[in-house]
Amino acid sequence: MSSRVDLILRGGTLVTAADAYEASVAVEGERIVAIGPDAVLPDAEREIDVRGKLVFPGAIDCHIHLGPEYDDWRGGPHAAAHAGLTTLVGFGVPEAGETLPQAVHRLREEASRGSVLDFGFHLILPPQPDLVDGIPEAVRLGISSFKLFMTYKKRGRMCSDEFICRVMERIAAQGGVTQLHCENGEVVDYLENKAIAEGRVRPADFPPTCPDWIEEEAVNRAVKLGALTGSPVYVVHLSSQLGLERIKQAQATGQRVWAETCPQYLLLTDAEMETWGPLAKIGPPLRPAGGPDREALWRGAAQGFVSTVASDHSPRSQAAKAPGWKNIFVDEAGQSVPFGSPSVETLVPLVYGEGVVKRGLPPSWMARVLAENPARIFGLYPRKGVIRVGADADFLIVDPEAAWTIRVADQKGMAGWTLYEGWPVKGRPWMTLLRGQVVLNQGKLEQAPGYGQYLPRGGPVPPIAGAAR
Ligand SMILES: [Zn+2]
């Protein structure tokens, strides 16, 4: 090793997906070059004193929607950077007439201009057979995950089982992973139309049209289609105990079936529909206040059956949501009232404050669900998601003592509201580094839009599982 390195993080507690221990980290250029006791590390051009802080691997949000109707690829990463993230793997959708490779080039250009954070893309496949042939080329361009919807019939997103099979077969052949929004869209559509016909259109009438067994049924189908085609299955935003039980069953057979949940399913209930109306309309819906789902999901995450926690950030303006006060399902033109809620800025604070502080999960659990597992499943490991020699020098440094309250006034995103208004949290992202450079420094960003780099991704590596405590 040269006698002098660029940077040392001195005196913190390093948190990995396995454990936490006192050590300093040396960084040269964009990479980690040494980890060890202070006394044996070389001198550095710059030192950052992280005594009393927790040093996590850079946090990854692997479920985020950015684009013209949401935060864009400039504003979204800007907000996410303030909230402690360093890498975003966001959803892109091919525009009308565009092939998948064309969509990748367009998205990559847009995000390269605007993003302060490193980024990659999952592609959403609408049910258009002509898109399927673009999968191999998209994989060569570094896209290893593709999302299909089993619901959203009125929005033109719902894929037939036949289409899902054909896509999964192509993804399996390319060594990728299939992400599925698991809800039975035919039944949802039936229940929604029935509710509309009977005049049950208040916000609180929405969750009962997407009951938990509809997720369970679709998870079961996703598992079976994955077994049939050989594709790994990644269940996005798991929301129910019933769905979780089916996933556990599949995992016990050794099948590559992995699940993600989100803070909203761990923490919020359908009672929010009364308070927030259409702002709390998300898919799958928030589950019944008296139900078993939140506790089941916490247990599933603690026991390693749920691999990742992601935001499903899909902010909407209040104006876009407003028609839902009158009819939660459709506006006067018959268009679906938008689903989604802003959540990237609350992801890290809630996973730390609610998971580690309040529920006593070890910090290594957070390193698992917010860093190493998303990196493994989405083909970024070991460049991202881990503190080890040779990895990108990406860190999330948390001040465990900071106590504060979530306020929309402090948020940077376009939505202008948060379902967590007034929520007290302990622990705060204090600093982040991305490829050796400080991005967030106590509330301020030190890097500009365009600092972020495109991350071509490979195939999945199985996530860390087993009980986290
Ligand atoms: Zn989503």
Side-chain angles (χ1 to χ4, degrees):
M1 185 188 297
S2 64
S3 57
R4 213 170 162 82
V5 295
D6 291 332
L7 171 74
I8 289 189
L9 301 180
R10 216 176 266 293
T13 300
L14 298 195
V15 183
T16 73
D19 52 17
Y21 61 100
E22 307 286 313
S24 296
V25 189
V27 173
E28 179 71 16
E30 301 195 332
R31 301 286 168 91
I32 296 170
V33 291
I35 300 167
D38 242 359
V40 305
L41 292 183
D43 291 336
E45 298 293 329
R46 179 179 183 187
E47 293 189 3
I48 300 175
D49 180 353
V50 291
R51 280 173 298 176
K53 307 289 195 298
L54 297 172
V55 181
F56 289 89
I60 300 168
D61 189 355
C62 62
H63 189 150
I64 179 164
H65 299 268
L66 299 175
E69 71 273 37
Y70 308 109
D71 291 306
D72 62 18
W73 271 101
R74 184 188 184 98
H78 176 83
H82 278 93
L85 294 145
T86 46
T87 294
L88 305 177
V89 189
F91 285 98
V93 196
E95 289 174 348
E98 211 178 35
T99 65
L100 297 183
Q102 287 166 343
V104 177
H105 290 300
R106 169 179 54 80
L107 290 161
R108 185 176 167 170
E109 244 169 65
E110 184 191 341
S112 296
R113 271 196 308 275
S115 182
V116 68
L117 299 182
D118 282 2
F119 57 91
F121 306 105
H122 319 283
L123 286 179
I124 288 174
L125 293 187
Q128 298 166 25
D130 53 315
L131 289 174
V132 178
D133 285 337
I135 290 174
E137 180 61 16
V139 171
R140 274 191 289 280
L141 294 170
I143 309 298
S144 53
S145 43
F146 300 85
K147 181 180 179 184
L148 298 166
F149 288 85
M150 301 171 93
T151 186
Y152 293 157
K153 194 173 181 181
K154 287 198 177 92
R155 297 167 69 196
R157 285 282 170 85
M158 191 171 91
C159 298
S160 69
D161 293 346
E162 187 265 349
F163 183 76
I164 294 172
C165 286
R166 283 204 286 140
V167 169
M168 286 179 109
E169 191 183 306
R170 297 299 287 267
I171 293 172
Q174 297 297 322
V177 52
T178 308
Q179 300 159 287
L180 287 153
H181 178 138
C182 295
E183 287 186 287
N184 183 319
E186 293 286 354
V187 180
V188 170
D189 208 49
Y190 164 75
L191 290 173
E192 176 174 319
N193 290 338
K194 191 171 155 73
I196 293 169
E198 293 169 3
R200 289 181 283 107
V201 295
R202 295 178 54 255
D205 294 320
F206 161 65
T209 62
C210 320
D212 55 359
W213 63 266
I214 274 174
E215 179 172 78
E216 177 197 32
E217 187 284 322
V219 167
N220 178 60
R221 223 167 348 120
V223 166
K224 293 294 186 189
L225 301 182
L228 178 70
T229 58
S231 172
V233 171
Y234 180 88
V235 175
V236 295
H237 51 50
L238 181 72
S239 67
S240 69
Q241 180 181 39
L242 288 177
L244 173 64
E245 289 304 320
R246 185 63 189 89
I247 284 163
K248 286 160 72 171
Q249 200 187 355
Q251 289 175 346
T253 70
Q255 194 181 334
R256 290 179 297 173
V257 174
W258 306 311
E260 158 199 291
T261 193
C262 314
Q264 47 272 36
Y265 300 115
L266 292 164
L267 297 169
L268 305 178
T269 71
D270 62 355
E272 306 295 339
M273 299 305 299
E274 296 292 347
T275 315
W276 294 97
L279 303 186
K281 181 186 181 186
I282 61 174
L286 295 170
R287 296 298 176 190
D293 302 298
R294 279 175 302 163
E295 280 316 305
L297 291 169
W298 276 115
R299 272 198 308 280
Q303 294 169 350
F305 301 111
V306 175
S307 301
T308 61
V309 179
S311 74
D312 195 8
H313 180 68
S314 32
R316 307 284 188 165
S317 68
Q318 297 215 32
K321 290 272 205 178
W325 286 106
K326 205 166 155 195
N327 181 324
I328 192 63
F329 300 107
V330 287
D331 64 18
E332 275 166 10
Q335 300 291 316
S336 276
V337 170
F339 290 79
S341 160
S343 45
V344 69
E345 293 178 76
T346 44
L347 176 64
V348 170
L350 291 171
V351 168
Y352 185 81
E354 292 290 326
V356 177
V357 178
K358 202 161 156 191
R359 285 166 183 80
L361 289 165
S364 56
W365 168 78
M366 174 160 133
R368 181 197 280 198
V369 298
L370 280 187
E372 185 157 339
N373 278 351
R376 283 172 169 266
I377 293 171
F378 295 116
L380 292 169
Y381 181 88
R383 179 176 170 188
K384 302 288 191 190
V386 64
I387 298 176
R388 78 171 208 190
V389 171
D392 279 4
D394 295 1
F395 305 97
L396 160 61
I397 304 170
V398 169
D399 173 3
E401 296 307 320
W404 57 292
T405 302
I406 294 171
R407 299 278 180 214
V408 72
D410 300 323
Q411 297 205 345
K412 316 285 179 196
M414 56 76 80
W417 49 278
T418 167
L419 300 178
Y420 301 97
E421 184 68 34
W423 196 287
V425 276
K426 186 144 189 235
R428 186 166 210 160
W430 177 78
M431 181 179 282
T432 62
L433 287 92
L434 173 57
R435 286 178 284 102
Q437 300 296 315
V438 172
V439 174
L440 174 71
N441 189 356
Q442 298 166 76
K444 297 260 187 307
L445 299 193
E446 294 192 358
Q447 304 300 322
Y451 176 69
Q453 288 185 358
Y454 174 64
L455 302 169
R457 299 181 295 110
V461 174
I464 310 260
R469 65 173 165 201

